[in-house]
Amino acid sequence: MTESLTITRITHSCHLIRVGGQTVLTDPWFSQRPLYHPGEPIAMMPEDLPHLDAVVISHEHYDHCDLDSFRRYQDKNAPMLVAGPVVDKARKAGFTNVRALEAWESAQVGDLTINAAPGKHGVHEVTYVISGGGRSVFFAGDTLLIPELLTLTDRFGPLDVALLPVNGLHIRMAGNKQVVMNAEEAAELTSALRPKLAVPQHYAFTSGRIGDKLFLKSDKNPTLFVDASRRLVPDVPVQVINPGEPLTVAP
């Protein structure tokens, strides 16, 4: 029987995914630092989270791996499936049930299957296909578009939802190097994967007026992805989710 699927965006790439009767948190971010601002509200704090059946973390950057804040979550035995470099950080934050999951490896958590897929960013990154109750969600962290991602449905079957970064972040000080896929590239991936629904993430982030001018360059408007998807793959709907807004995805 196909079960319900609900996604609640907390901020940036941090979501609560309710799938297969279980709840997964992605890439925790619950605070701000100089040069690191979500650019939108943070809808929930760690102490307000529901019971988590699993946590997935794509890489070690603070805006995806805010363990100093997430350590306020009470259940330190919550299963955490993370990119390799995150393991020690999570254990130092007090979490006890931490496992590295690398590309093409999988783990069973209750009735969920969490599959790691490749990613490419400024540091070591993995992405995830989370499946349970006849539903499946691809969580892309903040990866670039790489050829391996175009094969995900060949490996894991049809997707209900693809959560895709869209801001095309460039690092000015590194020769304007791109480290995150942009709206057009995310639409290209949407066209290849053909999920029932595509949801943009990782777009409002800002390093502040001075930081954006000197250090980073990105597109902060998710409608760029909406428009690109309508052009490239008009039969796949796109939904922008505001922080704190639950979205139930029809079967």
Side-chain angles (χ1 to χ4, degrees), residues 53-104:
D53 296 286
V55 180
V56 298
I57 300 179
S58 63
H59 66 291
E60 61 186 309
H61 281 156
Y62 154 69
D63 56 318
H64 295 256
C65 184
D66 181 13
L67 295 173
D68 285 344
S69 296
F70 185 52
R71 70 197 311 161
R72 302 202 305 269
Y73 178 68
Q74 289 189 346
D75 183 7
K76 297 299 187 296
N77 196 45
M80 298 181 72
L81 293 309
V82 304
V86 176
V87 171
D88 286 345
K89 294 175 181 290
R91 289 174 177 161
K92 287 177 182 177
F95 294 94
T96 57
N97 188 1
V98 186
R99 174 180 168 183
L101 207 60
E102 300 303 340
W104 310 132

mmCIF file of all heavy atoms in Angstrom, residues 53-104:
data_model
loop_
_atom_site.group_PDB
_atom_site.id
_atom_site.type_symbol
_atom_site.label_atom_id
_atom_site.label_comp_id
_atom_site.label_asym_id
_atom_site.label_seq_id
_atom_site.Cartn_x
_atom_site.Cartn_y
_atom_site.Cartn_z
ATOM 1 N N ASP A 53 13.274 9.472 13.046
ATOM 2 C CA ASP A 53 13.663 8.085 12.813
ATOM 3 C C ASP A 53 15.020 7.993 12.141
ATOM 4 O O ASP A 53 15.683 6.955 12.232
ATOM 5 C CB ASP A 53 12.597 7.388 11.966
ATOM 6 C CG ASP A 53 11.270 7.305 12.692
ATOM 7 O OD1 ASP A 53 11.157 6.485 13.617
ATOM 8 O OD2 ASP A 53 10.364 8.094 12.367
ATOM 9 N N ALA A 54 15.429 9.075 11.467
ATOM 10 C CA ALA A 54 16.748 9.101 10.824
ATOM 11 C C ALA A 54 17.127 10.544 10.526
ATOM 12 O O ALA A 54 16.258 11.428 10.391
ATOM 13 C CB ALA A 54 16.754 8.278 9.539
ATOM 14 N N VAL A 55 18.434 10.772 10.425
ATOM 15 C CA VAL A 55 18.993 12.066 10.027
ATOM 16 C C VAL A 55 19.996 11.785 8.913
ATOM 17 O O VAL A 55 20.829 10.874 9.042
ATOM 18 C CB VAL A 55 19.708 12.763 11.205
ATOM 19 C CG1 VAL A 55 20.294 14.106 10.771
ATOM 20 C CG2 VAL A 55 18.747 12.944 12.385
ATOM 21 N N VAL A 56 19.917 12.537 7.814
ATOM 22 C CA VAL A 56 20.919 12.407 6.754
ATOM 23 C C VAL A 56 21.646 13.750 6.614
ATOM 24 O O VAL A 56 21.029 14.811 6.670
ATOM 25 C CB VAL A 56 20.308 11.971 5.409
ATOM 26 C CG1 VAL A 56 19.674 10.589 5.539
ATOM 27 C CG2 VAL A 56 19.301 12.975 4.867
ATOM 28 N N ILE A 57 22.962 13.684 6.453
ATOM 29 C CA ILE A 57 23.790 14.883 6.304
ATOM 30 C C ILE A 57 24.692 14.685 5.096
ATOM 31 O O ILE A 57 25.471 13.737 5.039
ATOM 32 C CB ILE A 57 24.613 15.164 7.573
ATOM 33 C CG1 ILE A 57 23.674 15.388 8.770
ATOM 34 C CG2 ILE A 57 25.518 16.374 7.370
ATOM 35 C CD1 ILE A 57 24.382 15.656 10.083
ATOM 36 N N SER A 58 24.582 15.607 4.158
ATOM 37 C CA SER A 58 25.264 15.448 2.874
ATOM 38 C C SER A 58 26.743 15.788 2.939
ATOM 39 O O SER A 58 27.550 15.200 2.213
ATOM 40 C CB SER A 58 24.586 16.305 1.807
ATOM 41 O OG SER A 58 24.683 17.687 2.124
ATOM 42 N N HIS A 59 27.120 16.739 3.793
ATOM 43 C CA HIS A 59 28.528 17.135 3.882
ATOM 44 C C HIS A 59 28.735 18.003 5.115
ATOM 45 O O HIS A 59 27.790 18.321 5.840
ATOM 46 C CB HIS A 59 28.991 17.848 2.616
ATOM 47 C CG HIS A 59 28.336 19.168 2.358
ATOM 48 N ND1 HIS A 59 27.009 19.293 2.021
ATOM 49 C CD2 HIS A 59 28.831 20.443 2.378
ATOM 50 C CE1 HIS A 59 26.705 20.574 1.849
ATOM 51 N NE2 HIS A 59 27.792 21.287 2.071
ATOM 52 N N GLU A 60 29.971 18.419 5.345
ATOM 53 C CA GLU A 60 30.345 19.003 6.629
ATOM 54 C C GLU A 60 30.220 20.524 6.702
ATOM 55 O O GLU A 60 30.506 21.097 7.754
ATOM 56 C CB GLU A 60 31.785 18.607 6.973
ATOM 57 C CG GLU A 60 32.811 19.084 5.957
ATOM 58 C CD GLU A 60 34.204 18.554 6.244
ATOM 59 O OE1 GLU A 60 34.673 18.697 7.388
ATOM 60 O OE2 GLU A 60 34.829 17.989 5.328
ATOM 61 N N HIS A 61 29.843 21.217 5.660
ATOM 62 C CA HIS A 61 29.713 22.663 5.745
ATOM 63 C C HIS A 61 28.653 23.060 6.768
ATOM 64 O O HIS A 61 27.595 22.421 6.856
ATOM 65 C CB HIS A 61 29.361 23.256 4.375
ATOM 66 C CG HIS A 61 30.541 23.376 3.461
ATOM 67 N ND1 HIS A 61 30.425 23.412 2.095
ATOM 68 C CD2 HIS A 61 31.878 23.458 3.725
ATOM 69 C CE1 HIS A 61 31.628 23.519 1.543
ATOM 70 N NE2 HIS A 61 32.523 23.545 2.526
ATOM 71 N N TYR A 62 28.944 24.115 7.510
ATOM 72 C CA TYR A 62 28.103 24.532 8.636
ATOM 73 C C TYR A 62 26.634 24.683 8.268
ATOM 74 O O TYR A 62 25.739 24.292 9.033
ATOM 75 C CB TYR A 62 28.665 25.837 9.211
ATOM 76 C CG TYR A 62 27.663 26.710 9.917
ATOM 77 C CD1 TYR A 62 27.105 26.328 11.140
ATOM 78 C CD2 TYR A 62 27.278 27.928 9.357
ATOM 79 C CE1 TYR A 62 26.177 27.132 11.782
ATOM 80 C CE2 TYR A 62 26.358 28.737 10.004
ATOM 81 C CZ TYR A 62 25.804 28.338 11.207
ATOM 82 O OH TYR A 62 24.881 29.134 11.830
ATOM 83 N N ASP A 63 26.335 25.236 7.079
ATOM 84 C CA ASP A 63 24.935 25.468 6.716
ATOM 85 C C ASP A 63 24.203 24.188 6.332
ATOM 86 O O ASP A 63 23.000 24.231 6.011
ATOM 87 C CB ASP A 63 24.814 26.514 5.598
ATOM 88 C CG ASP A 63 25.599 26.152 4.358
ATOM 89 O OD1 ASP A 63 26.743 25.680 4.481
ATOM 90 O OD2 ASP A 63 25.085 26.361 3.239
ATOM 91 N N HIS A 64 24.884 23.050 6.395
ATOM 92 C CA HIS A 64 24.263 21.743 6.177
ATOM 93 C C HIS A 64 24.535 20.785 7.340
ATOM 94 O O HIS A 64 23.992 19.688 7.360
ATOM 95 C CB HIS A 64 24.783 21.118 4.884
ATOM 96 C CG HIS A 64 24.401 21.869 3.665
ATOM 97 N ND1 HIS A 64 23.411 21.455 2.798
ATOM 98 C CD2 HIS A 64 24.858 23.050 3.165
ATOM 99 C CE1 HIS A 64 23.282 22.338 1.817
ATOM 100 N NE2 HIS A 64 24.153 23.309 2.025
ATOM 101 N N CYS A 65 25.345 21.205 8.262
ATOM 102 C CA CYS A 65 25.823 20.309 9.323
ATOM 103 C C CYS A 65 26.025 21.124 10.604
ATOM 104 O O CYS A 65 27.111 21.175 11.167
ATOM 105 C CB CYS A 65 27.126 19.641 8.863
ATOM 106 S SG CYS A 65 27.817 18.424 9.981
ATOM 107 N N ASP A 66 24.940 21.748 11.053
ATOM 108 C CA ASP A 66 24.985 22.645 12.209
ATOM 109 C C ASP A 66 24.840 21.830 13.492
ATOM 110 O O ASP A 66 23.829 21.898 14.199
ATOM 111 C CB ASP A 66 23.868 23.687 12.078
ATOM 112 C CG ASP A 66 23.843 24.687 13.215
ATOM 113 O OD1 ASP A 66 24.822 24.754 13.987
ATOM 114 O OD2 ASP A 66 22.818 25.410 13.336
ATOM 115 N N LEU A 67 25.870 21.058 13.797
ATOM 116 C CA LEU A 67 25.787 20.146 14.935
ATOM 117 C C LEU A 67 25.859 20.868 16.271
ATOM 118 O O LEU A 67 25.345 20.361 17.271
ATOM 119 C CB LEU A 67 26.885 19.093 14.823
ATOM 120 C CG LEU A 67 26.732 18.158 13.619
ATOM 121 C CD1 LEU A 67 27.943 17.257 13.484
ATOM 122 C CD2 LEU A 67 25.463 17.326 13.728
ATOM 123 N N ASP A 68 26.468 22.052 16.328
ATOM 124 C CA ASP A 68 26.487 22.820 17.571
ATOM 125 C C ASP A 68 25.070 23.155 18.019
ATOM 126 O O ASP A 68 24.773 23.175 19.223
ATOM 127 C CB ASP A 68 27.292 24.115 17.405
ATOM 128 C CG ASP A 68 28.789 23.865 17.382
ATOM 129 O OD1 ASP A 68 29.212 22.769 17.782
ATOM 130 O OD2 ASP A 68 29.528 24.778 16.960
ATOM 131 N N SER A 69 24.199 23.430 17.082
ATOM 132 C CA SER A 69 22.795 23.681 17.410
ATOM 133 C C SER A 69 22.005 22.383 17.527
ATOM 134 O O SER A 69 21.205 22.204 18.450
ATOM 135 C CB SER A 69 22.141 24.570 16.351
ATOM 136 O OG SER A 69 22.728 25.840 16.308
ATOM 137 N N PHE A 70 22.233 21.458 16.595
ATOM 138 C CA PHE A 70 21.439 20.236 16.560
ATOM 139 C C PHE A 70 21.671 19.368 17.794
ATOM 140 O O PHE A 70 20.797 18.563 18.155
ATOM 141 C CB PHE A 70 21.747 19.451 15.287
ATOM 142 C CG PHE A 70 20.887 18.234 15.100
ATOM 143 C CD1 PHE A 70 19.503 18.330 15.171
ATOM 144 C CD2 PHE A 70 21.457 16.991 14.856
ATOM 145 C CE1 PHE A 70 18.698 17.204 15.014
ATOM 146 C CE2 PHE A 70 20.669 15.872 14.695
ATOM 147 C CZ PHE A 70 19.287 15.973 14.771
ATOM 148 N N ARG A 71 22.769 19.570 18.490
ATOM 149 C CA ARG A 71 23.010 18.779 19.700
ATOM 150 C C ARG A 71 21.939 19.044 20.768
ATOM 151 O O ARG A 71 21.820 18.279 21.733
ATOM 152 C CB ARG A 71 24.405 19.060 20.254
ATOM 153 C CG ARG A 71 24.591 20.426 20.861
ATOM 154 C CD ARG A 71 26.053 20.808 21.023
ATOM 155 N NE ARG A 71 26.835 19.778 21.651
ATOM 156 C CZ ARG A 71 28.172 19.681 21.592
ATOM 157 N NH1 ARG A 71 28.880 20.578 20.906
ATOM 158 N NH2 ARG A 71 28.805 18.722 22.212
ATOM 159 N N ARG A 72 21.133 20.108 20.606
ATOM 160 C CA ARG A 72 20.031 20.363 21.545
ATOM 161 C C ARG A 72 18.862 19.387 21.335
ATOM 162 O O ARG A 72 17.965 19.328 22.175
ATOM 163 C CB ARG A 72 19.527 21.804 21.395
ATOM 164 C CG ARG A 72 20.596 22.854 21.627
ATOM 165 C CD ARG A 72 19.999 24.202 21.996
ATOM 166 N NE ARG A 72 19.031 24.691 21.045
ATOM 167 C CZ ARG A 72 19.311 25.478 19.990
ATOM 168 N NH1 ARG A 72 20.575 25.845 19.761
ATOM 169 N NH2 ARG A 72 18.378 25.894 19.187
ATOM 170 N N TYR A 73 18.870 18.656 20.240
ATOM 171 C CA TYR A 73 17.866 17.609 20.043
ATOM 172 C C TYR A 73 18.112 16.507 21.067
ATOM 173 O O TYR A 73 19.242 16.043 21.238
ATOM 174 C CB TYR A 73 17.950 17.061 18.614
ATOM 175 C CG TYR A 73 16.980 15.942 18.338
ATOM 176 C CD1 TYR A 73 15.611 16.180 18.300
ATOM 177 C CD2 TYR A 73 17.434 14.643 18.124
ATOM 178 C CE1 TYR A 73 14.717 15.153 18.052
ATOM 179 C CE2 TYR A 73 16.551 13.607 17.866
ATOM 180 C CZ TYR A 73 15.195 13.872 17.839
ATOM 181 O OH TYR A 73 14.306 12.854 17.600
ATOM 182 N N GLN A 74 17.068 16.066 21.738
ATOM 183 C CA GLN A 74 17.246 15.229 22.926
ATOM 184 C C GLN A 74 17.713 13.815 22.645
ATOM 185 O O GLN A 74 18.499 13.249 23.411
ATOM 186 C CB GLN A 74 15.947 15.192 23.731
ATOM 187 C CG GLN A 74 15.634 16.511 24.419
ATOM 188 C CD GLN A 74 14.471 16.392 25.387
ATOM 189 O OE1 GLN A 74 13.731 15.407 25.377
ATOM 190 N NE2 GLN A 74 14.310 17.391 26.237
ATOM 191 N N ASP A 75 17.247 13.194 21.570
ATOM 192 C CA ASP A 75 17.555 11.792 21.325
ATOM 193 C C ASP A 75 18.902 11.663 20.627
ATOM 194 O O ASP A 75 19.011 11.736 19.407
ATOM 195 C CB ASP A 75 16.457 11.153 20.477
ATOM 196 C CG ASP A 75 16.688 9.659 20.260
ATOM 197 O OD1 ASP A 75 17.630 9.106 20.875
ATOM 198 O OD2 ASP A 75 15.936 9.056 19.467
ATOM 199 N N LYS A 76 19.939 11.461 21.411
ATOM 200 C CA LYS A 76 21.280 11.361 20.845
ATOM 201 C C LYS A 76 21.530 10.009 20.171
ATOM 202 O O LYS A 76 22.584 9.801 19.586
ATOM 203 C CB LYS A 76 22.334 11.600 21.940
ATOM 204 C CG LYS A 76 22.287 12.999 22.544
ATOM 205 C CD LYS A 76 22.553 14.066 21.495
ATOM 206 C CE LYS A 76 22.691 15.450 22.087
ATOM 207 N NZ LYS A 76 21.455 15.928 22.739
ATOM 208 N N ASN A 77 20.563 9.098 20.274
ATOM 209 C CA ASN A 77 20.706 7.801 19.621
ATOM 210 C C ASN A 77 19.953 7.740 18.293
ATOM 211 O O ASN A 77 19.835 6.673 17.697
ATOM 212 C CB ASN A 77 20.215 6.679 20.548
ATOM 213 C CG ASN A 77 20.681 5.303 20.090
ATOM 214 O OD1 ASN A 77 21.842 5.121 19.737
ATOM 215 N ND2 ASN A 77 19.774 4.341 20.098
ATOM 216 N N ALA A 78 19.453 8.858 17.829
ATOM 217 C CA ALA A 78 18.767 8.873 16.536
ATOM 218 C C ALA A 78 19.733 8.414 15.442
ATOM 219 O O ALA A 78 20.876 8.882 15.385
ATOM 220 C CB ALA A 78 18.268 10.281 16.230
ATOM 221 N N PRO A 79 19.324 7.508 14.576
ATOM 222 C CA PRO A 79 20.227 7.031 13.525
ATOM 223 C C PRO A 79 20.634 8.166 12.587
ATOM 224 O O PRO A 79 19.782 8.889 12.066
ATOM 225 C CB PRO A 79 19.392 5.985 12.782
ATOM 226 C CG PRO A 79 18.355 5.550 13.768
ATOM 227 C CD PRO A 79 18.042 6.772 14.569
ATOM 228 N N MET A 80 21.930 8.308 12.375
ATOM 229 C CA MET A 80 22.457 9.339 11.499
ATOM 230 C C MET A 80 23.247 8.673 10.381
ATOM 231 O O MET A 80 24.195 7.928 10.650
ATOM 232 C CB MET A 80 23.337 10.323 12.272
ATOM 233 C CG MET A 80 22.586 11.080 13.360
ATOM 234 S SD MET A 80 23.627 12.267 14.269
ATOM 235 C CE MET A 80 23.843 13.519 12.995
ATOM 236 N N LEU A 81 22.871 8.946 9.141
ATOM 237 C CA LEU A 81 23.572 8.454 7.955
ATOM 238 C C LEU A 81 24.217 9.672 7.310
ATOM 239 O O LEU A 81 23.526 10.601 6.880
ATOM 240 C CB LEU A 81 22.608 7.783 6.980
ATOM 241 C CG LEU A 81 21.943 6.459 7.412
ATOM 242 C CD1 LEU A 81 22.962 5.461 7.902
ATOM 243 C CD2 LEU A 81 20.814 6.668 8.379
ATOM 244 N N VAL A 82 25.538 9.684 7.233
ATOM 245 C CA VAL A 82 26.251 10.922 6.920
ATOM 246 C C VAL A 82 27.417 10.663 5.975
ATOM 247 O O VAL A 82 27.927 9.542 5.867
ATOM 248 C CB VAL A 82 26.769 11.592 8.215
ATOM 249 C CG1 VAL A 82 25.640 11.836 9.199
ATOM 250 C CG2 VAL A 82 27.864 10.750 8.883
ATOM 251 N N ALA A 83 27.861 11.727 5.299
ATOM 252 C CA ALA A 83 29.112 11.662 4.548
ATOM 253 C C ALA A 83 30.267 11.381 5.509
ATOM 254 O O ALA A 83 30.260 11.838 6.662
ATOM 255 C CB ALA A 83 29.332 12.974 3.810
ATOM 256 N N GLY A 84 31.266 10.655 5.039
ATOM 257 C CA GLY A 84 32.354 10.191 5.911
ATOM 258 C C GLY A 84 32.946 11.227 6.835
ATOM 259 O O GLY A 84 33.094 10.972 8.050
ATOM 260 N N PRO A 85 33.317 12.421 6.357
ATOM 261 C CA PRO A 85 33.955 13.402 7.237
ATOM 262 C C PRO A 85 33.052 13.921 8.360
ATOM 263 O O PRO A 85 33.546 14.561 9.285
ATOM 264 C CB PRO A 85 34.316 14.542 6.276
ATOM 265 C CG PRO A 85 34.434 13.890 4.940
ATOM 266 C CD PRO A 85 33.374 12.841 4.936
ATOM 267 N N VAL A 86 31.750 13.637 8.277
ATOM 268 C CA VAL A 86 30.824 14.135 9.309
ATOM 269 C C VAL A 86 30.795 13.217 10.527
ATOM 270 O O VAL A 86 30.392 13.620 11.619
ATOM 271 C CB VAL A 86 29.405 14.294 8.720
ATOM 272 C CG1 VAL A 86 28.387 14.715 9.777
ATOM 273 C CG2 VAL A 86 29.416 15.296 7.570
ATOM 274 N N VAL A 87 31.261 11.979 10.386
ATOM 275 C CA VAL A 87 31.116 10.994 11.458
ATOM 276 C C VAL A 87 31.728 11.495 12.762
ATOM 277 O O VAL A 87 31.073 11.507 13.820
ATOM 278 C CB VAL A 87 31.735 9.644 11.051
ATOM 279 C CG1 VAL A 87 31.780 8.703 12.252
ATOM 280 C CG2 VAL A 87 30.930 9.010 9.935
ATOM 281 N N ASP A 88 32.981 11.897 12.745
ATOM 282 C CA ASP A 88 33.648 12.333 13.976
ATOM 283 C C ASP A 88 32.979 13.574 14.554
ATOM 284 O O ASP A 88 32.843 13.697 15.781
ATOM 285 C CB ASP A 88 35.125 12.612 13.710
ATOM 286 C CG ASP A 88 35.936 11.331 13.523
ATOM 287 O OD1 ASP A 88 35.428 10.250 13.875
ATOM 288 O OD2 ASP A 88 37.073 11.426 13.025
ATOM 289 N N LYS A 89 32.566 14.495 13.707
ATOM 290 C CA LYS A 89 31.899 15.710 14.182
ATOM 291 C C LYS A 89 30.595 15.364 14.914
ATOM 292 O O LYS A 89 30.279 15.933 15.960
ATOM 293 C CB LYS A 89 31.601 16.649 13.005
ATOM 294 C CG LYS A 89 32.829 17.227 12.326
ATOM 295 C CD LYS A 89 32.436 18.050 11.106
ATOM 296 C CE LYS A 89 33.640 18.621 10.388
ATOM 297 N NZ LYS A 89 34.318 19.674 11.143
ATOM 298 N N ALA A 90 29.836 14.419 14.351
ATOM 299 C CA ALA A 90 28.572 14.035 14.972
ATOM 300 C C ALA A 90 28.803 13.338 16.313
ATOM 301 O O ALA A 90 28.077 13.583 17.287
ATOM 302 C CB ALA A 90 27.782 13.137 14.027
ATOM 303 N N ARG A 91 29.805 12.498 16.380
ATOM 304 C CA ARG A 91 30.091 11.816 17.640
ATOM 305 C C ARG A 91 30.589 12.790 18.701
ATOM 306 O O ARG A 91 30.223 12.675 19.885
ATOM 307 C CB ARG A 91 31.103 10.698 17.403
ATOM 308 C CG ARG A 91 30.493 9.520 16.635
ATOM 309 C CD ARG A 91 31.499 8.469 16.274
ATOM 310 N NE ARG A 91 30.855 7.328 15.602
ATOM 311 C CZ ARG A 91 31.489 6.440 14.860
ATOM 312 N NH1 ARG A 91 32.810 6.524 14.709
ATOM 313 N NH2 ARG A 91 30.833 5.449 14.294
ATOM 314 N N LYS A 92 31.394 13.767 18.292
ATOM 315 C CA LYS A 92 31.854 14.777 19.244
ATOM 316 C C LYS A 92 30.697 15.637 19.752
ATOM 317 O O LYS A 92 30.752 16.172 20.866
ATOM 318 C CB LYS A 92 32.915 15.661 18.595
ATOM 319 C CG LYS A 92 34.255 14.961 18.420
ATOM 320 C CD LYS A 92 35.267 15.845 17.708
ATOM 321 C CE LYS A 92 36.591 15.112 17.506
ATOM 322 N NZ LYS A 92 37.577 15.935 16.740
ATOM 323 N N ALA A 93 29.635 15.754 18.954
ATOM 324 C CA ALA A 93 28.449 16.496 19.374
ATOM 325 C C ALA A 93 27.550 15.662 20.279
ATOM 326 O O ALA A 93 26.512 16.152 20.735
ATOM 327 C CB ALA A 93 27.668 16.968 18.152
ATOM 328 N N GLY A 94 27.922 14.416 20.528
ATOM 329 C CA GLY A 94 27.190 13.586 21.477
ATOM 330 C C GLY A 94 26.278 12.548 20.864
ATOM 331 O O GLY A 94 25.631 11.782 21.587
ATOM 332 N N PHE A 95 26.234 12.475 19.531
ATOM 333 C CA PHE A 95 25.370 11.484 18.893
ATOM 334 C C PHE A 95 26.087 10.142 18.833
ATOM 335 O O PHE A 95 27.284 10.066 18.550
ATOM 336 C CB PHE A 95 24.966 11.968 17.498
ATOM 337 C CG PHE A 95 24.085 13.188 17.544
ATOM 338 C CD1 PHE A 95 24.634 14.461 17.440
ATOM 339 C CD2 PHE A 95 22.724 13.064 17.743
ATOM 340 C CE1 PHE A 95 23.833 15.594 17.511
ATOM 341 C CE2 PHE A 95 21.916 14.190 17.815
ATOM 342 C CZ PHE A 95 22.466 15.459 17.698
ATOM 343 N N THR A 96 25.339 9.080 19.117
ATOM 344 C CA THR A 96 25.963 7.773 19.332
ATOM 345 C C THR A 96 25.725 6.778 18.210
ATOM 346 O O THR A 96 26.452 5.790 18.095
ATOM 347 C CB THR A 96 25.453 7.162 20.646
ATOM 348 O OG1 THR A 96 24.020 7.072 20.597
ATOM 349 C CG2 THR A 96 25.852 8.026 21.843
ATOM 350 N N ASN A 97 24.717 7.015 17.386
ATOM 351 C CA ASN A 97 24.330 6.049 16.356
ATOM 352 C C ASN A 97 24.612 6.665 14.988
ATOM 353 O O ASN A 97 23.703 7.082 14.269
ATOM 354 C CB ASN A 97 22.851 5.687 16.519
ATOM 355 C CG ASN A 97 22.422 4.544 15.623
ATOM 356 O OD1 ASN A 97 23.216 3.988 14.869
ATOM 357 N ND2 ASN A 97 21.147 4.198 15.691
ATOM 358 N N VAL A 98 25.893 6.738 14.638
ATOM 359 C CA VAL A 98 26.335 7.470 13.445
ATOM 360 C C VAL A 98 27.036 6.496 12.505
ATOM 361 O O VAL A 98 27.905 5.721 12.921
ATOM 362 C CB VAL A 98 27.306 8.612 13.815
ATOM 363 C CG1 VAL A 98 27.635 9.446 12.576
ATOM 364 C CG2 VAL A 98 26.714 9.496 14.906
ATOM 365 N N ARG A 99 26.661 6.565 11.234
ATOM 366 C CA ARG A 99 27.265 5.672 10.240
ATOM 367 C C ARG A 99 27.588 6.463 8.977
ATOM 368 O O ARG A 99 26.768 7.251 8.493
ATOM 369 C CB ARG A 99 26.289 4.541 9.901
ATOM 370 C CG ARG A 99 26.764 3.646 8.766
ATOM 371 C CD ARG A 99 25.768 2.543 8.464
ATOM 372 N NE ARG A 99 26.092 1.882 7.205
ATOM 373 C CZ ARG A 99 25.358 0.914 6.662
ATOM 374 N NH1 ARG A 99 24.271 0.486 7.285
ATOM 375 N NH2 ARG A 99 25.707 0.385 5.509
ATOM 376 N N ALA A 100 28.780 6.258 8.448
ATOM 377 C CA ALA A 100 29.138 6.838 7.158
ATOM 378 C C ALA A 100 28.447 6.048 6.052
ATOM 379 O O ALA A 100 28.413 4.810 6.081
ATOM 380 C CB ALA A 100 30.644 6.821 6.954
ATOM 381 N N LEU A 101 27.890 6.771 5.107
ATOM 382 C CA LEU A 101 27.251 6.148 3.957
ATOM 383 C C LEU A 101 27.815 6.821 2.719
ATOM 384 O O LEU A 101 27.670 8.027 2.542
ATOM 385 C CB LEU A 101 25.732 6.333 4.034
ATOM 386 C CG LEU A 101 24.845 5.288 3.342
ATOM 387 C CD1 LEU A 101 25.091 3.912 3.933
ATOM 388 C CD2 LEU A 101 23.384 5.670 3.466
ATOM 389 N N GLU A 102 28.479 6.063 1.879
ATOM 390 C CA GLU A 102 29.112 6.623 0.693
ATOM 391 C C GLU A 102 28.318 6.256 -0.557
ATOM 392 O O GLU A 102 27.403 5.435 -0.519
ATOM 393 C CB GLU A 102 30.559 6.140 0.603
ATOM 394 C CG GLU A 102 31.417 6.548 1.792
ATOM 395 C CD GLU A 102 31.470 8.055 2.043
ATOM 396 O OE1 GLU A 102 31.173 8.827 1.104
ATOM 397 O OE2 GLU A 102 31.799 8.462 3.162
ATOM 398 N N ALA A 103 28.651 6.884 -1.652
ATOM 399 C CA ALA A 103 27.875 6.744 -2.885
ATOM 400 C C ALA A 103 27.648 5.277 -3.243
ATOM 401 O O ALA A 103 28.576 4.464 -3.216
ATOM 402 C CB ALA A 103 28.583 7.461 -4.018
ATOM 403 N N TRP A 104 26.392 4.956 -3.538
ATOM 404 C CA TRP A 104 25.881 3.651 -3.944
ATOM 405 C C TRP A 104 25.794 2.655 -2.794
ATOM 406 O O TRP A 104 25.477 1.487 -3.022
ATOM 407 C CB TRP A 104 26.663 3.060 -5.113
ATOM 408 C CG TRP A 104 26.839 3.985 -6.275
ATOM 409 C CD1 TRP A 104 28.002 4.246 -6.940
ATOM 410 C CD2 TRP A 104 25.831 4.785 -6.934
ATOM 411 N NE1 TRP A 104 27.800 5.146 -7.959
ATOM 412 C CE2 TRP A 104 26.472 5.497 -7.979
ATOM 413 C CE3 TRP A 104 24.460 4.974 -6.734
ATOM 414 C CZ2 TRP A 104 25.784 6.370 -8.824
ATOM 415 C CZ3 TRP A 104 23.783 5.856 -7.570
ATOM 416 C CH2 TRP A 104 24.430 6.543 -8.598
#
